[in-house]
Amino acid sequence: MAIANLRFQPRLATWPVYLAGLLPALWYVYQIFHGDLGADPVKTLEHAMGEWALRFLILGLAITPLRREFGISLLKYRRAVGLTAFLYVVLHLLVYLLLDQGLDWAAIWADIIKRPYITIGMAGFLLLLPLAGTSFNAAIRWIGGRNWNRLHKLVYPAVLAGAVHYVLLVKSWPLEPLVYLGIVLMLLGWRVWRRA
C-alpha cells in the first residue's frame, strides 16, 4: 500500500548524480595506477564495471516503485541514472574487448557463440543501445512521448539479461549474483502486479 502522505522530492540538479556516478570508475582508475586490483587486474576491473552497471540499472528500475509505494519521487534523476548505468555497461564491454580479448574478433565471436553468459550479456547491451541513443530531449520530441515510453520498456529485458549474465558468469552459484537476480525479478514482478 502506498504511503500517500509521504512526499520526498529532492531539489538537486542532475549533474551531481552524474558526478556521483563517476566516482566508482574514478576509484578503479586510481587503483589501476597504484596496483591495487589484485593478481588479475583485468578480470577485477571487468567484474567491477559489470557489477556497477547492474547496480545502476537496478536503481533505475526501482525509481517507479519508490514513487508509487513510498512517495519518493526520483523521476527527475532517472535519465541520469540510466545513462550512468549505460556508461558502466560500455566500460564493462570495453574492458572485455580491449584488455581481456585484445580485440581478437575471432575469439570474441567464438565467445559470443559458445558461452551463453556472453551471448546473454551482448543481447542485453544491444537492447540498451536504442535507449541510450534516444535519451535526449530532441529524440523524445521526434519519437513522441508515448512511443518513447514504449521503447524504453526494453530496459526490463535488458536488466534481466544483465542479472542472468552475472549469475551464469560466476558458475559456482555464490549468493551475491542470486541476490541481484532476486531484486531484478522482484522489481519486474512488481510491474506485472501494478501493470506499471
Side-chain angles (χ1 to χ4, degrees):
M1 181 176 170
I3 302 173
N5 295 330
L6 179 60
R7 288 287 176 264
F8 171 68
Q9 297 189 9
R11 300 284 180 196
L12 295 173
T14 55
W15 68 264
V17 177
Y18 289 108
L19 186 60
L22 285 174
L23 291 178
L26 294 174
W27 171 246
Y28 284 102
V29 169
Y30 171 84
Q31 288 189 311
I32 288 168
F33 287 108
H34 286 81
D36 293 337
L37 290 179
D40 192 346
V42 170
K43 284 296 179 190
T44 300
L45 191 61
E46 190 176 337
H47 173 82
M49 295 301 100
E51 198 167 72
W52 277 105
L54 189 54
R55 288 172 183 155
F56 280 108
L57 286 167
I58 288 171
L59 179 59
L61 207 60
I63 287 174
T64 297
L66 284 172
R67 180 176 60 87
R68 290 209 184 170
E69 300 300 330
F70 302 104
I72 300 171
S73 182
L74 301 173
L75 289 176
K76 179 179 178 182
Y77 310 106
R78 184 158 51 192
R79 185 186 312 185
V81 169
L83 288 173
T84 302
F86 184 72
L87 169 68
Y88 281 97
V89 170
V90 169
L91 291 173
H92 175 63
L93 183 59
L94 286 175
V95 172
Y96 168 72
L97 294 176
L98 295 172
L99 303 180
D100 190 358
Q101 296 297 321
L103 287 180
D104 181 343
W105 294 108
I108 291 164
W109 183 247
D111 267 357
I112 293 170
I113 297 299
K114 294 178 183 175
R115 299 179 188 226
Y117 73 90
I118 293 181
T119 309
I120 292 167
M122 288 293 185
F125 170 70
L126 292 175
L127 288 170
L128 289 173
L129 279 176
L131 308 189
T134 57
S135 287
F136 54 96
N137 293 335
I140 297 169
R141 286 192 298 272
W142 181 65
I143 295 170
R146 184 174 295 169
N147 291 331
W148 185 86
N149 283 332
R150 278 196 211 105
L151 176 66
H152 277 248
K153 289 187 188 300
L154 286 175
V155 74
Y156 304 153
V159 176
L160 184 58
V164 171
H165 167 74
Y166 189 17
V167 169
L168 294 178
L169 165 70
V170 177
K171 295 184 183 75
S172 58
W173 298 91
L175 184 60
E176 189 176 11
L178 295 173
V179 168
Y180 282 115
L181 179 60
I183 293 169
V184 168
L185 290 174
M186 182 181 67
L187 290 169
L188 293 176
W190 178 89
R191 280 170 166 79
V192 172
W193 174 57
R194 292 294 301 261
R195 292 184 180 147

